[in-house]
Amino acid sequence: MSLPKALQSKEFRSTRIGVLSERLIVFSLATCATITVLITIGIIYMLVSQSAGFFASDAVSFSGFLTDTEWTALQSKDLEKAKFGILPLLSGTLRVTAIAMLIALPLGLVTAIYLSEFASRRIRSWLKPTLEVIAGIPTVVLGYFAILVISPSLQFFTDGFTTFNATSAGIAVGILCLPMVCSLSEDAMRAVPRSLREGAYGLGCTPFETSIKVVVPAALSGIVSAFLLAFSRAIGETMVVALAAGTLPTFTFDPSQQAQTMTGFIVEMIKSESEYGTVQYFSLYGVAMTLFVITFGMTLIGQIIRRRFQESYQ
């Protein structure tokens, strides 16, 4: 029995509107994706084109940029005496990042294991929001916290620390990265099927053995991704290191010394009065390009590791 013409017409209009709406949504999503790709290409083009002006200068050589142990782009007003070796900035960045990771990775993983496997629902309900509050603290506040609290605390135990040093900045950055490691690692562990835990219990494993020998290896892909994301976040941190690490580029492994990082130098260069077109100005983009290559490489490594250790469950 056929439907009345009025109902057929209404059903046709409804179907047509649904198809048009779906096409509009797909077009909007494709447009957003295209805009994202174009923005990324624009950023890369800007970095490459501007950093080319830095490496094209007679005062800079690519080999010297990678191997020299002095960086005096802001300290030296005489172009002929300026040194452009990236190693002091890279040293400061790695010192701060290493200290931050020594704090964020073990504490974040242990906290994630506790929240996922041992904490009661009541404890989890207040502990996890507390960590999220830490993640919401502005980085400039953590920078001043490092200067006013962490540095004086370090000076209380030893006289080797100055107000601005790599250790206090690294501790503050570690606090900043801790909620990220904890949250992402916990999500990865809670995604492990319950059947794996029950199988371990059936074989006589204790809850601790199940967590360490079963859950963590099964969630290794997500945990490693969280670690690499926190590492990239620490390398790219700006305000904390600009405030707490210092402004003196030093090529050393001593964490008690000042440590100007790559992002810290970019901030100082923006605040300086270097004229456009000078090698000091273009050095900003040379450092930014180096930072981009490092973070891009970390992203690629993270993708490879995630695919290598990713587990599939039915």
Side-chain angles (χ1 to χ4, degrees):
M1 182 176 180
S2 61
L3 295 173
K5 291 183 178 180
L7 292 179
Q8 290 180 357
S9 177
K10 185 176 181 180
E11 183 179 358
F12 174 77
R13 288 196 302 269
S14 178
T15 304
R16 186 177 181 182
I17 293 173
V19 172
L20 291 176
S21 300
E22 184 176 352
R23 290 179 178 177
L24 180 61
I25 293 173
V26 172
F27 176 77
S28 301
L29 295 175
T31 301
C32 293
T34 303
I35 292 174
T36 303
V37 173
L38 292 177
I39 291 174
T40 304
I41 294 174
I43 293 174
I44 295 175
Y45 173 77
M46 183 269 295
L47 287 176
V48 173
S49 60
Q50 295 295 322
S51 61
F54 173 66
F55 292 108
S57 174
D58 295 334
V60 180
S61 65
F62 187 74
S63 60
F65 177 76
L66 296 178
T67 58
D68 286 350
T69 58
E70 290 185 74
W71 182 275
T72 59
L74 290 175
Q75 289 78 12
S76 178
K77 300 299 181 181
D78 188 356
L79 178 60
E80 296 181 354
K81 297 181 179 179
K83 302 294 184 180
F84 298 96
I86 194 65
L87 289 182
L89 299 181
L90 185 61
S91 169
T93 301
L94 294 180
R95 268 181 288 159
V96 172
T97 302
I99 295 170
M101 293 302 96
L102 288 175
I103 295 173
L105 299 189
L107 290 180
L109 181 59
V110 170
T111 305
I113 293 174
Y114 174 73
L115 288 175
S116 175
E117 305 300 318
F118 299 100
S120 63
R121 182 176 299 179
R122 179 181 178 183
I123 295 178
R124 190 183 298 115
S125 64
W126 66 263
L127 184 56
K128 193 166 184 180
T130 302
L131 293 172
E132 294 173 354
V133 168
I134 296 176
I137 297 176
T139 56
V140 65
V141 175
L142 284 175
Y144 280 111
F145 176 78
I147 296 174
L148 300 177
V149 177
I150 299 178
S151 291
S153 299
L154 294 174
Q155 292 171 348
F156 176 78
F157 291 103
T158 177
D159 296 332
F161 288 91
T162 59
T163 302
F164 303 101
N165 58 83
T167 301
S168 60
I171 293 174
V173 175
I175 295 172
L176 180 67
C177 295
L178 176 61
M180 178 188 302
V181 175
C182 178
S183 180
L184 296 178
S185 299
E186 191 216 358
D187 291 340
M189 284 186 283
R190 290 182 69 85
V192 175
R194 182 67 185 174
S195 58
L196 293 181
R197 297 177 175 86
E198 294 174 350
Y201 293 146
L203 293 174
C205 293
T206 64
F208 180 77
E209 292 175 333
T210 302
S211 302
I212 301 302
K213 297 180 180 181
V214 177
V215 177
V216 171
L220 187 61
S221 172
I223 293 173
V224 171
S225 297
F227 285 2
L228 292 175
L229 185 60
F231 188 84
S232 299
R233 177 72 176 85
I235 288 180
E237 174 52 37
T238 303
M239 287 308 301
V240 173
V241 295
L243 292 172
T247 58
L248 181 64
T250 54
F251 182 63
T252 178
F253 295 102
D254 187 356
S256 64
Q257 299 297 317
Q258 291 194 45
Q260 186 176 53
T261 65
M262 290 185 283
T263 54
F265 168 76
I266 292 173
V267 172
E268 291 297 321
M269 176 58 69
I270 293 174
K271 295 191 300 182
S272 70
E273 298 179 354
S274 298
E275 296 182 359
Y276 176 81
T278 62
V279 66
Q280 285 90 347
Y281 172 82
F282 283 121
S283 67
L284 182 153
Y285 294 97
V287 174
M289 189 65 191
T290 305
L291 185 62
F292 172 78
V293 171
I294 293 175
T295 54
F296 182 72
M298 292 301 301
T299 302
L300 290 181
I301 293 173
Q303 292 290 338
I304 294 173
I305 293 177
R306 187 175 63 179
R307 292 176 182 177
R308 171 66 178 81
F309 294 101
Q310 189 172 11
E311 300 284 351
S312 298
Y313 304 102
Q314 295 181 353

